[in-house]
Amino acid sequence: MHELIEGELYQALEYAKSVDQHQGQRIIIQFEIDQPLLSQAIFNAFPSMIAEHNEELSHFFMDLCFEIICVYQKAFGSTPRFKDDPTWMERQAVSFDDILQPMAGKTKIDAKQSNKMKKLFFQPKEGEIIQHGLVQFLNDSIDDDAQGNNYSKPAIELTKSMLFVTVRLFSNLYTNHVRLAS
């Protein structure tokens, strides 16, 4: 796997936009079969956190997650299957938990701790590929949508963070799949 360059990303995004409703339903059903835990996270857990701030934004988040699925499938092939590596999602949760653990049980976090956590959270691990262009596209999409809606700043930031996590999970999934296939 590699970071998508502008032309590749544009083609993958165009593909995502061209998928009709019937194709889209098949893509979602197959994704749920191939990656049931990841599907639960990005279409249930993450949107429910966003919905606590704004229901409409949680729906837009899910639309963007569909586009992420399409981008990865167009650029890198079919979604790797859960049965080929059933502990992958668990390992991802542990990895994110290491970053979030300092927050556990705290009602307030000072600015220094918050900045340190953000830096750790958004910094890729060694060998990890971040799709910067895709993340920028998603962030721009949220900003564009926010202009016509009354979303709170915390809701926007949470949504952008959840999209970043989703892209990171997909990159890790596809990178892991390439390693297993080698």
Side-chain angles (χ1 to χ4, degrees):
M1 199 183 91
H2 61 280
E3 185 171 354
L4 295 172
I5 57 172
E6 193 172 303
E8 291 174 301
L9 179 58
Y10 179 77
Q11 285 180 340
L13 288 167
E14 282 297 310
Y15 165 72
K17 300 279 187 203
S18 73
V19 171
D20 66 29
Q21 186 175 356
H22 181 69
Q23 287 175 297
Q25 288 173 333
R26 286 196 333 250
I27 290 169
I28 293 294
I29 290 168
Q30 190 60 53
F31 178 69
E32 290 171 344
I33 292 167
D34 292 340
Q35 283 296 326
L37 296 177
L38 181 56
S39 176
Q40 285 288 337
I42 68 171
F43 289 116
N44 292 329
F46 294 172
S48 68
M49 288 187 279
I50 296 166
E52 290 178 16
H53 295 272
N54 187 290
E55 184 79 28
E56 189 177 327
L57 189 54
S58 72
H59 293 289
F60 187 57
F61 168 84
M62 288 186 284
D63 291 343
L64 292 173
C65 285
F66 174 75
E67 290 186 25
I68 292 169
I69 293 168
C70 290
V71 164
Y72 276 83
Q73 287 183 355
K74 174 72 174 163
F76 305 113
S78 299
T79 304
R81 297 184 316 223
F82 172 79
K83 70 178 188 176
D84 294 336
D85 187 3
T87 63
W88 175 82
M89 190 66 178
E90 182 181 328
R91 292 192 313 273
Q92 298 307 301
V94 168
S95 148
F96 284 111
D97 191 49
D98 291 344
I99 295 168
L100 300 175
Q101 191 59 38
M103 262 184 19
K106 293 185 178 181
T107 55
K108 294 229 181 217
I109 295 178
D110 64 40
K112 185 178 177 181
Q113 287 175 310
S114 175
N115 289 335
K116 182 179 177 182
M117 275 189 346
K118 282 179 187 175
K119 184 178 178 186
L120 284 172
F121 182 75
F122 289 105
Q123 184 176 25
K125 295 178 183 171
E126 186 177 326
E128 187 176 31
I129 297 168
I130 300 294
Q131 298 293 342
H132 293 94
L134 179 56
V135 170
Q136 186 62 52
F137 167 80
L138 296 167
N139 286 342
D140 291 347
S141 296
I142 293 294
D143 290 340
D144 290 346
D145 190 57
Q147 287 180 356
N149 293 290
N150 192 22
Y151 303 146
S152 68
K153 184 171 172 75
I156 292 169
E157 293 305 312
L158 174 63
T159 304
K160 287 179 178 181
S161 294
M162 293 292 98
L163 286 166
F164 176 81
V165 168
T166 302
V167 169
R168 194 170 182 178
L169 286 168
F170 270 86
S171 290
N172 291 347
L173 178 65
Y174 276 83
T175 298
N176 184 63
H177 177 69
V178 169
R179 284 186 195 132
L180 288 176
S182 301

